[in-house]
Amino acid sequence: MKISIIGSGYVGLVSGACFAEFGVDVTCIDKDKNKIKNLKKGIIPIYEPGLEDLVKKNLKEKRINFETNLAESIKGSSAVFIAVGTPERRGDGHADLTFVYEVAKELAKSLNHYAVIVNKSTVPIGTGKKVYEIIEENKKNKELKFDVASNPEFLREGSAINDFMRPDRVVIGCEEERPKKILEELYRPLYLLETPILFTKRETAELIKYAANSFLATKISFINEIADLCEKVGANVSDVSIGIGLDGRIGKKFLHPGPGYGGSCFPKDTQALVKTAQDYNSKLSLVEHVVNSNKKRKKNIYKKVKLACSNDLRKKRISILGLTFKPNTDDMRDSPSLELIPALIKSGSLLNLYDPEGMNEAKKYFKKYKKQIKWFDDAYTSMKSCDAVVILTEWNQFRALNLKKVKEMLKTPILVDLRNIYNPKELLDYGFKYSSLGRPDSLFV
Ligand code: NAD
C-alpha cells in the first residue's frame, strides 16, 4: 500500500517512519523546503529517541521518501494523512485551522483518484466535515470520489515510536465501508498485537482526542492543587498519589505534581475544547477551571524559588536544569520554563541555563534576556557559584546528580525540586536547603 502524510513534524514524521517500518510505502510531505532537504539525507529536525535510526533504516530500504510537491507525491496513495499544526489561534483560544484548510484546498486542486483523506491533526468537532466540503466544492476533477476520516493521534513526545507501534488504542472516525477497509489494512500490524481499534462517527473521534487530553490535564491539575493543600496541612502528596492511585478506578499515572502542564497539546487542546463547548452553549466548567488552575500555577511557580531564596531574588544567580516541557524532547512549546524564566528575571535574578537536548530551541525563546542569561553545556558547571539550583524538567541525568559535587559547586546549597525527584530526608541530611512540592519534610513549603 502507498500512503502520503502532509506535515512532517512530530506527528507526521513519527507516523510516516512507523508506517514505513510496518512495510507501507510512505511519502512524507512538508512545505518547509529546508526540512525536506535535510530529511532526504536522514537529518532529523527534532529530537525524538529512536527516530533518526528508524528514518535512516527506512530511507535505505526505500520505504520512506520526503517531498515538497504535494500534487506529485499523493499520486497513487490510498490514504492521504493530514498532520499539520493546529496551534492556538491568537486572541480567542480557538484552534487555528489555517494549515488544515490550506491543505484541503491544495487537495481539491490536485487529487485525481479515489483516496481517503485522514485527519491526524487534533481538530475541533466538525472539522472533518468542513474538510470534506472544501474538497467537494473546490475539486478540479468533478468526477472525483473521496472520503474524509478522523484518526486522532495519541503519541507522546519522548516515547513517540513506542506509543505509535504499541498504542493503547487506535481511534478511527469513519462510517463508510471503502475507507474503513483501507484503514483496517493499514493498521493490520497492530491487530496482531491485539490493539483495540475503535471505529466511531467522525465527530466522535474528533471529540475523543480532546476529551482524553482534557481528562489527563484534569488529573495533573488535581494533584497540583492537592500538593498545595498538603503543604498547608502537613500531608505528603507522594503518599496521597500512591494512596489514591492504587484504586483501580483512579489509576497511578498523571498523579505527579509539577510546575504546571505544558507542551504542544494540553494547553491548546483544553482551551480549544472549552471554546467548542461555549460555541455549542454546553459549558465545560470543569475544564475551564483546569485551564485557569494551570495558568495560575505556571505564573506563580517562581514564588517557590523566591521563598527558598529568603524571599529576595535580586541579584541572585540561579541555575535552571531542564527547559523543555518534558524530558526526551526538544519541544519548548508552552513549556513552564517560558513563564518561570521571565518571572525570575523580572524579580531581579540572573540565570544559568542548561537542558540536555532543548538548548537550541530554548535560545530562540529567550533572545531578549541576553544580559541576564548565561548558557551552559553541562549541569554541574551551570551551578558554579550559584545561589540556588532549580530542577525544572525531570531528565534522567538530573535524577542521580552527584549531590556532593552539586553542593561544592553552589555558593549556597539551595535546591528547588519542581518535579519531586529527590528524597527530602536525604537532601536535608546532605546539608541542602531543599524545597519540593507538597512534601512536609522539605523546607520552605
Ligand atoms: P509540528 O508543528 O511539529 O509539524 C507540523 C508540520 O506541518 C510542520 O513541519 C509544517 O511545516 C507542516 N505544514 C504546515 N502546513 C503545511 C502545508 N500546507 N503543507 C505541507 N506541510 C505543512 O506539529 P506536530 O506537533 O506534529 O502536531 C501536528 C498535529 O498533531 C497537531 O494538530 C497536534 O495538536 C497533533 N498532535 C501532536 C502531538 C505531539 O506530541 N506533538 C501528539 C498528538 C497530536
Side-chain angles (χ1 to χ4, degrees):
M1 187 187 292
K2 178 182 181 325
I3 66 164
S4 12
I5 301 181
I6 305 170
S8 306
Y10 285 88
V11 166
L13 192 51
V14 170
S15 310
C18 292
F19 278 132
E21 184 68 10
F22 290 162
V24 178
D25 177 359
V26 181
T27 304
C28 286
I29 302 159
D30 206 286
K31 63 179 182 184
D32 182 335
K33 289 189 178 132
N34 200 35
K35 194 180 263 188
I36 292 297
K37 197 172 132 204
N38 283 330
L39 281 167
K40 277 177 184 290
K41 293 185 224 155
I43 301 170
I44 310 295
I46 52 171
Y47 175 76
E48 180 60 45
L51 186 58
E52 186 173 340
D53 288 348
L54 201 64
V55 168
K56 280 187 170 154
K57 178 176 172 228
N58 283 285
L59 265 174
K60 200 168 153 212
E61 290 168 15
K62 298 197 173 11
R63 282 195 298 261
I64 195 165
N65 62 335
F66 298 97
E67 299 295 341
T68 49
N69 186 326
L70 187 145
E72 278 303 311
S73 310
I74 60 171
K75 279 185 185 160
S77 292
S78 313
V80 178
F81 284 78
I82 302 178
V84 296
T86 49
E88 189 173 322
R89 192 161 72 191
R90 266 172 195 266
D92 67 2
H94 271 290
D96 184 345
L97 296 172
T98 313
F99 300 128
V100 174
Y101 293 154
E102 253 174 40
V103 170
K105 283 179 199 146
E106 282 198 59
L107 287 172
K109 276 194 285 176
S110 45
L111 191 62
N112 207 11
H113 66 282
Y114 175 85
V116 50
I117 313 301
V118 192
N119 205 345
K120 232 186 204 321
S121 296
T122 303
V123 292
I125 299 100
T127 306
K129 184 167 177 272
K130 181 91 182 131
V131 166
Y132 184 89
E133 287 165 0
I134 292 176
I135 303 178
E136 185 61 25
E137 281 161 23
N138 297 285
K139 65 186 184 186
K140 211 166 135 194
N141 173 356
K142 296 298 166 200
E143 305 300 312
L144 177 71
K145 294 265 180 288
F146 66 98
D147 284 293
V148 176
S150 163
N151 173 216
E153 183 49 59
F154 298 96
L155 62 77
R156 295 161 299 173
E157 288 174 19
S159 54
I161 291 171
N162 190 53
D163 288 349
F164 193 94
M165 297 235 186
R166 296 179 175 275
D168 290 338
R169 79 309 206 178
V170 172
V171 173
I172 299 175
C174 135
E175 290 170 284
E176 302 77 13
E177 278 313 309
R178 193 170 180 187
K180 239 179 173 177
K181 277 215 171 77
I182 294 173
L183 291 166
E184 266 171 359
E185 175 74 24
L186 193 56
Y187 280 109
R188 187 182 302 281
L190 297 184
Y191 276 80
L192 304 175
L193 303 170
E194 294 182 8
T195 307
I197 312 255
L198 180 66
F199 281 96
T200 66
K201 278 184 72 174
R202 199 167 50 201
E203 288 72 17
T204 309
E206 290 169 340
L207 181 52
I208 286 173
K209 174 65 193 175
Y210 280 107
N213 276 0
S214 297
F215 191 83
L216 293 172
T218 303
K219 265 187 123 176
I220 296 174
S221 292
F222 177 80
I223 205 65
N224 282 339
E225 291 195 359
I226 292 288
D228 289 347
L229 180 62
C230 284
E231 292 179 4
K232 298 269 164 49
V233 300
N236 185 321
V237 73
S238 303
D239 293 338
V240 174
S241 293
I242 297 169
I244 63 175
L246 284 169
D247 184 328
R249 293 168 302 176
I250 297 174
K252 290 183 203 163
K253 292 184 178 165
F254 280 72
L255 288 178
H256 305 286
Y261 59 77
S264 67
C265 293
F266 286 3
K268 77 169 175 67
D269 292 349
T270 45
Q271 185 72 56
L273 184 60
V274 163
K275 285 287 170 190
T276 301
Q278 284 170 357
D279 286 351
Y280 286 86
N281 213 5
S282 177
K283 203 166 151 61
L284 277 174
S285 54
L286 189 59
V287 186
E288 281 181 28
H289 280 297
V290 169
V291 169
N292 292 331
S293 168
N294 193 60
K295 279 187 185 158
K296 204 166 122 201
R297 186 162 189 88
K298 280 160 98 177
K299 193 161 172 265
N300 289 331
I301 202 74
Y302 82 98
K303 290 184 184 163
K304 272 267 162 199
V305 186
K306 190 171 177 190
L307 193 61
C309 294
S310 314
N311 261 320
D312 184 2
L313 288 168
R314 280 171 304 166
K315 300 225 165 95
K316 296 275 166 64
R317 185 161 282 283
I318 296 166
S319 155
I320 311 274
L321 301 185
L323 304 168
T324 52
F325 82 97
K326 66 184 312 201
N328 290 326
T329 182
D330 58 353
D331 201 341
M332 284 290 294
R333 289 177 282 185
D334 271 319
S335 171
S337 66
L338 300 178
E339 299 266 353
L340 177 70
I341 285 168
L344 291 175
I345 288 176
K346 203 170 162 211
S347 306
S349 306
L350 300 163
L351 304 178
N352 289 1
L353 306 185
Y354 170 67
D355 186 279
E357 296 292 340
M359 303 271 277
N360 288 341
E361 273 303 300
K363 281 178 185 170
K364 295 180 195 162
Y365 287 84
F366 299 123
K367 276 187 190 140
K368 67 172 173 184
Y369 300 121
K370 259 191 195 141
K371 281 192 195 143
Q372 295 94 341
I373 287 178
K374 286 186 189 165
W375 298 91
F376 288 82
D377 290 333
D378 126 278
Y380 294 104
T381 42
S382 82
M383 297 176 209
K384 194 163 183 246
S385 305
C386 280
D387 296 283
V389 56
V390 177
I391 298 177
L392 184 54
T393 315
E394 67 280 32
W395 285 88
N396 272 343
Q397 61 173 265
F398 306 148
R399 288 178 184 273
L401 289 168
N402 178 336
L403 294 173
K404 193 166 164 278
K405 197 167 162 190
V406 172
K407 210 172 157 205
E408 278 165 15
M409 296 304 279
L410 290 168
K411 189 160 85 190
T412 40
I414 297 174
L415 195 153
V416 182
D417 178 359
L418 297 178
R419 298 290 179 172
N420 283 6
I421 56 185
Y422 283 95
N423 177 334
K425 186 167 181 318
E426 193 188 347
L427 268 281
L428 299 179
D429 287 349
Y430 257 99
F432 278 92
K433 290 183 173 174
Y434 177 69
S435 171
S436 64
L437 305 171
R439 299 191 295 178
D441 43 356
S442 49
L443 296 171
F444 319 114
V445 289

